[in-house]
Amino acid sequence: MATIKTKGIIIRRINLGEADRILTILTEDRGKIRVLAKGVRKPKAKLSGFLELFRYNEYLLAEGRNLDLVTGAYTIDNLVGVGQSLRSVATAYYIAETVDKLIEETQEVSKAFEIVYRSLKAISQSGDLDAIKSWFEINLLANLGFRPELNHCVECRAAINEGWFSFELGGILDRVHRSADPAALPVDATELSELRAIGGNIPKQVSSKVAQIGAGFMEQIIDRNLKSKEFLADVTSGFRE
Ligand SMILES: [Zn+2]
């Protein structure tokens, strides 16, 4: 039986049958994978302590019939501080669920692992949760190909330092073109430079406008992603009829 070694963070767990679990792992080198942990819910199961949610492990996997099987694990970082408060756990759940929704199995997204690990690490080290959440949202989206345009008006390409942020159009609009999206949010020069800087390190804190833009932009992309999946499902079922 072929053995595979990989490292990654557990982003989802579902119970299966009497004592098994299916784990979704965001790996360093294989994208998102689903694996089967057999017997892991039995009392005294050897691996159960290693297979907690948000755990960063190295895994030994054996080829299984449908899913690969976890045969060994050791912890690289238990990220124990993630559990320090209800809000910190909720933020970690949000990060894990968002990644699970946006990234397909085995889809290679450069830096997705790094972004998730840095976010969870910052949570476990008591970083500002709003700042971590916004940093995660804007950086994950940028790596998925949705880098917001923050330097030029998305309609006419004029360079601007303040304007209106459009979720729909994925960037800022100047005064002339703000009507292109009536729902666009006004962004002043300070907020815009804050947004531009968020591609670097996780900030100590973020303004409520930046938090609103990160969350709104993420919501928009998840919604669009869901609609295109539904569309694809409709089209495929149409072909079958
Ligand atoms: Zn313009």
Side-chain angles (χ1 to χ4, degrees):
M1 212 160 36
T3 306
I4 306 155
K5 235 186 207 181
T6 189
K7 295 175 187 168
I9 295 173
I10 299 172
I11 56 169
R12 189 169 182 221
R13 305 192 309 175
I14 40 176
N15 292 342
L16 182 75
E18 294 269 297
D20 303 344
R21 241 179 208 143
I22 294 176
L23 309 175
T24 305
I25 303 171
L26 182 68
T27 69
E28 285 182 12
D29 57 346
R30 298 170 171 264
K32 185 179 93 174
I33 60 170
R34 295 203 316 145
V35 295
L36 181 60
K38 273 183 116 36
V40 80
R41 280 154 56 221
K42 282 183 195 148
K44 293 183 191 167
K46 179 170 67 92
L47 284 176
S48 65
F50 295 94
L51 303 180
E52 300 293 331
L53 202 56
F54 313 131
R55 196 64 85 94
Y56 175 21
N57 292 315
E58 176 162 322
Y59 309 86
L60 276 179
L61 305 175
E63 232 170 83
R65 231 174 312 164
N66 296 311
L67 296 171
D68 289 343
L69 307 171
V70 185
T71 55
Y74 87 88
T75 296
I76 297 166
D77 191 343
N78 62 19
L79 293 162
V80 69
V82 165
Q84 63 190 290
S85 73
L86 269 178
R87 264 200 83 216
S88 64
V89 174
T91 308
Y93 263 105
Y94 169 80
I95 287 169
E97 277 170 13
T98 301
V99 166
D100 195 25
K101 267 185 223 163
L102 280 178
I103 297 180
E104 302 297 327
E105 266 175 67
T106 69
Q107 176 192 3
E108 279 287 345
V109 176
S110 82
K111 292 194 183 165
F113 174 84
E114 189 194 324
I115 292 166
V116 169
Y117 181 49
R118 278 178 71 184
S119 303
L120 294 177
K121 189 75 186 171
I123 294 174
S124 79
Q125 291 170 336
S126 312
D128 182 86
L129 296 172
D130 290 332
I132 296 165
K133 184 170 174 281
S134 302
W135 181 86
F136 161 78
E137 288 162 337
I138 291 168
N139 283 282
L140 184 70
L141 288 174
N143 275 277
L144 284 165
F146 305 105
R147 189 178 295 281
E149 172 56 67
L150 299 171
N151 296 298
H152 302 95
C153 169
V154 288
E155 288 290 305
C156 70
R157 310 298 306 157
I160 44 175
N161 284 313
E162 58 186 333
W164 286 262
F165 187 88
S166 164
F167 297 121
E168 183 81 41
L169 301 169
I172 46 167
L173 293 161
D174 59 9
R175 188 169 294 280
V176 181
H177 293 105
R178 60 177 287 199
S179 57
D181 178 5
L185 290 176
V187 184
D188 68 24
T190 318
E191 291 158 349
L192 194 54
S193 59
E194 208 188 327
L195 273 172
R196 286 171 181 166
I198 213 168
N201 289 324
I202 299 176
K204 293 247 186 308
Q205 53 193 36
V206 286
S207 63
S208 59
K209 184 61 67 64
V210 169
Q212 192 184 355
I213 287 176
F217 198 35
M218 181 57 89
E219 215 171 285
Q220 163 92 15
I221 301 294
I222 287 178
D223 196 45
R224 207 187 292 171
N225 194 41
L226 201 69
K227 281 192 183 123
S228 70
K229 269 187 199 161
E230 279 166 8
F231 173 74
L232 212 62
D234 284 350
V235 170
T236 338
S237 68
F239 276 133
R240 272 202 303 267
E241 273 159 20

